[in-house]
Amino acid sequence: MPSFVNKQCVVSHFSCDLCDADYVGYTARYLHQRIAEHKNSAIGRHFLEAHGNNNLLKENQFTVLRKCQSKFDCLVFEMLFIKNLKPNLNTRTPYVRNVLFNIFNFFFSRYNFYQLLFLVFIDRNSLTYFDLIMTFS
């Protein structure tokens, strides 16, 4: 098993080796666990519909785009990589809205309004996210 599939909390990129289909996703669990589940996802449907067999999924079709520190980091970087790479198997149109909703819920469930203002203006990680968003814009 390639060593990268033992990583946790990553954003990964799937690239079909039979055509130009690709997909970006994250997992907080071990990547090899998530890869096994992809037989029943958009990737598995792609193999079945485009190539007639959903057993063609292999670990070497995945690369790690980013090792993250938390699930929140994964959500942010997944959204940014999807915006930048425009993978054709990521088809949920309200996806960015859902991710932003999850991000706001994450913050509002943990902080009050004044703590959030402090995080936005002072916290180095928030500035990093802002810089990344500006880079991918």
Side-chain angles (χ1 to χ4, degrees):
M1 181 179 324
S3 63
F4 76 86
V5 298
N6 288 320
K7 291 188 185 279
Q8 292 176 283
C9 209
V10 296
V11 177
S12 64
H13 180 247
F14 161 80
S15 184
C16 181
D17 54 5
L18 301 172
C19 66
D20 66 347
D22 62 339
Y23 177 87
V24 170
Y26 85 91
T27 184
R29 296 173 295 129
Y30 289 105
L31 182 56
H32 68 86
Q33 292 173 312
R34 184 65 186 114
I35 290 172
E37 295 170 351
H38 273 302
K39 281 189 176 185
N40 301 315
S41 74
I43 295 172
R45 282 190 303 278
H46 162 73
F47 278 121
L48 192 58
E49 293 169 6
H51 307 297
N53 185 348
N54 71 345
N55 291 317
L56 300 172
L57 185 64
K58 297 177 283 216
E59 290 174 347
N60 66 359
Q61 295 165 314
F62 288 83
T63 56
V64 173
L65 297 173
R66 176 83 180 196
K67 172 76 172 104
C68 301
Q69 298 300 313
S70 66
K71 183 177 178 181
F72 176 74
D73 283 350
C74 284
L75 284 169
V76 170
F77 283 104
E78 179 193 39
M79 179 181 65
L80 294 173
F81 280 116
I82 288 172
K83 183 176 182 198
N84 188 38
L85 299 174
K86 297 172 183 46
N88 52 24
L89 294 178
N90 292 82
T91 58
R92 295 189 309 177
T93 51
Y95 182 78
V96 171
R97 236 178 325 194
N98 290 341
V99 170
L100 289 174
F101 180 75
N102 287 336
I103 290 170
F104 286 123
N105 278 341
F106 173 85
F107 276 121
F108 283 113
S109 68
R110 289 164 176 77
Y111 305 103
N112 68 38
F113 177 74
Y114 296 105
Q115 288 171 317
L116 283 174
L117 283 177
F118 178 78
L119 283 172
V120 169
F121 291 108
I122 303 301
D123 186 82
R124 188 176 72 80
N125 289 331
S126 295
L127 294 176
T128 302
Y129 295 137
F130 176 77
D131 292 338
L132 280 168
I133 291 168
M134 297 310 292
T135 301
F136 281 90
S137 296

